[in-house]
Structures are given as C-alpha cells and as structure tokens.
Amino acid sequence: MHPNVNLIVEPDYASMSKRAAEIFAQVLRENPNGAFGFATGGTPEGMYKELISMHNNDDLDFSEITTFNLDEYHPIARDISQSYYYVMQENLFRHVGISEEQINIPDGTAPDPLEECHAYEQKLWDSGGIDMQILGIGHNGHIGFNEPSDSFAANTNYTILKESTIENNARFFSKAEEVPRHAITMGIRSIIMARSILLLCSGAAKAEILRDALQGPITPLVPASALQLHPNVIVVADKEAASLLNQDTSYKESQKNQS
Ligand code: GLP
C-alpha cells in the first residue's frame, strides 16, 4: 500500500461504520467551524447513524460547520424522497441540528445545469476548501457521479449516468425508469482539493473495484484511481471489500527508513 493511503480494515459493516464515524468526529472536533463533504449511497448510512448517536450522547456539535454534498440528480426536486437533498436530511442533517444555511447541495431543479455547476464550484472555492470529504465508491469506480470516461472532469460537471449506475441506483426508486438520467457532481479536482478524504467501502462486490482504484493504474476509466494522487486518504473498508488488496506494508516501511 502506498504511503498516501492509510488503510483500516474492520471485520464488518457495523465496525467499519463506527470506526469511520470516530475518525470523522475527531476531525470535526478539531475543526468545529470547518467545511465537510458528504456522500450518499448506502455505504455511509451506518456511519451517519453513529454520528447521530454521538451528537445525542456525546454532544458532537455540527452547528458551526458548512456542508457540501458531492452530487445531486438532475432533474429532481428536493421534496422527492430519492433526491440527495432529502436523503441527507433524513439520514443525518435534521437529526444533528444542521440548518438550511449550512447546507450546500447542487440544485436538482436548476433550469441551467451548467450555470449551477459553475456556481457550485465557486461556492467550494469560497468556502476555503473542505476539511474532510467522505466518499463511497460505485461498482464501476465512480466517485460522486464521475463516471468512467476517457478523461477526468476537473470541476463540478453535468453528467450523463451510465446504464449500470442507473440499474444499481434503481433500488432506491420504484423502477429503473424513474432514476434521473443526469446528475450534477463535484469533479475530480473539486474532490481531491479536500484536505483529507475518508473513503468507505463494504462488501465482497466492491473488492475488485477497490483494488483497481487503490492499486491499479491511475486512469479515468476508474475515476476513484485519482485518489492515488491525494496525499491524505483514509480508507475504512470491511474485510470483504479489502480482501483483494495487497496489504504489504514493506513499501511504507522502506520509505520511512529512508527519511
Ligand atoms: C451513488 C453516489 C455515489 C456513491 C455510490 C455508491 O451513485 N452518487 O456517491 O458512492 O452511489 O453507492 P453505494 O454506497 O450504495 O454502493
């Protein structure tokens, strides 16, 4: 494993979620006024539950942070239960006292999505940068909604979802035809600008793509492979997801010995 990646392997989904929440909470306590990047998808749901209980039981304070979400479908209204705005409210924000003024999520109703991309990128810059970005990974290696492609999109962009992503995300809708065909997503540079990245990965079905992302070539065909360019990535994976990773630490050790 390369030295920029701090890999933590936990036995199962529950302990992965708990460990990730502890790491996040530490950064939040150190940066109570910081900017934090949130992700949707099923993977971080357990971590969000842990954060809610830390808020209720240990006074973990979210009241001064600014939040940025990676992406949003387009078109979709906020009050549709599958919109990422709605999902974040249900899974985290409304339970930890995060108010409307603290939230940034691309507008799924924007009449001009390209203008919305530009405005969102500007907001990211104006925030002074994200202290910790939470990420999941799609089965095809996407991060946010940056789908495999022949080039990396740097900035927040308007994207067409791949058929495989639509099929995968159909589990959150009543049928695949209801999944919006487009999304607005932070770009690869917008993501790796974060001062730290916390990538969560669970289950045997993600083992191959996690290996490709962390140990394969850096290529836009596997968008998550761009994380290899980031100096401070923490990966919290369960055993099944980590099963194909080469966890040889000798490279790390040899680097340490040289310094
Ligand atoms: C969606 C989101 C991604 C997420 C991915 C994986 O497509 N846009 O941010 O990482 O799904 O989802 P899951 O965690 O459910 O596997």
Side-chain angles (χ1 to χ4, degrees):
M1 186 65 54
H2 289 264
N4 67 319
V5 175
N6 186 355
L7 174 68
I8 298 168
V9 182
E10 289 288 337
D12 54 26
Y13 179 78
S15 52
M16 176 203 77
S17 302
K18 202 164 194 305
R19 188 69 184 272
E22 283 161 3
I23 294 167
F24 181 89
Q26 192 187 333
V27 179
L28 172 54
R29 288 198 170 100
E30 286 163 7
N31 302 277
N33 309 311
F36 290 86
F38 290 94
T40 47
T43 310
E45 283 178 12
M47 170 188 169
Y48 294 154
K49 287 202 177 91
E50 292 289 339
L51 290 174
I52 294 168
S53 86
M54 288 164 120
H55 172 73
N56 292 333
N57 304 325
D58 310 321
D59 290 331
L60 185 64
D61 182 14
F62 292 79
S63 65
E64 301 296 328
I65 67 168
T66 302
T67 77
F68 283 93
N69 260 78
L70 282 170
D71 49 11
E72 179 60 283
Y73 292 113
H74 190 279
I76 200 160
R78 282 175 162 201
D79 57 353
I80 304 290
S81 62
Q82 293 88 357
S83 78
Y84 286 166
Y85 178 87
Y86 195 101
V87 167
M88 285 310 302
Q89 285 287 4
E90 287 307 300
N91 289 351
L92 183 70
F93 293 165
R94 72 184 180 83
H95 303 284
V96 297
I98 291 179
S99 63
E100 192 54 46
E101 307 77 64
Q102 294 173 261
I103 301 170
N104 295 288
I105 299 186
D107 179 3
T109 64
D112 182 343
L114 296 183
E115 200 176 290
E116 174 62 12
C117 293
H118 187 74
Y120 201 70
E121 191 67 31
Q122 190 62 51
K123 274 191 221 165
L124 278 165
W125 277 100
D126 293 347
S127 75
I130 289 176
D131 291 291
M132 175 165 264
Q133 174 68 54
I134 297 161
L135 285 182
I137 181 171
H139 286 93
N140 62 7
H142 72 222
I143 46 175
F145 268 133
N146 292 278
E147 296 281 37
S149 153
D150 52 12
S151 61
F152 286 116
N155 294 337
T156 301
N157 60 93
Y158 183 54
T159 183
I160 302 174
L161 300 179
K162 295 266 186 210
E163 218 34 63
S164 63
T165 297
I166 290 169
E167 277 162 30
N168 244 303
N169 290 3
R171 67 200 142 115
F172 297 113
F173 292 77
S174 51
K175 47 182 189 291
E177 294 74 60
E178 283 181 8
V179 184
R181 267 40 196 169
H182 292 82
I184 295 171
T185 179
M186 277 163 61
I188 296 295
R189 190 198 41 75
S190 350
I191 293 172
I192 65 173
M193 246 173 48
R195 286 183 270 282
S196 64
I197 302 234
L198 181 60
L199 173 69
L200 278 67
C201 192
S202 164
K206 295 272 178 80
E208 216 167 305
I209 197 65
L210 187 65
R211 179 200 55 201
D212 292 352
L214 300 181
Q215 297 176 341
I218 299 170
T219 164
L221 297 173
V222 181
S225 65
L227 298 175
Q228 294 179 44
L229 298 169
H230 193 283
N232 185 14
V233 179
I234 303 166
V235 178
V236 188
D238 64 17
K239 244 195 197 146
E240 290 187 337
S243 62
L244 297 178
L245 291 174
N246 173 4
Q247 291 180 47
D248 179 7
T249 52
S250 55
Y251 177 74
K252 200 169 179 172
E253 292 307 316
S254 73
Q255 293 292 301
K256 262 195 217 153
N257 294 340
Q258 278 171 29
S259 57

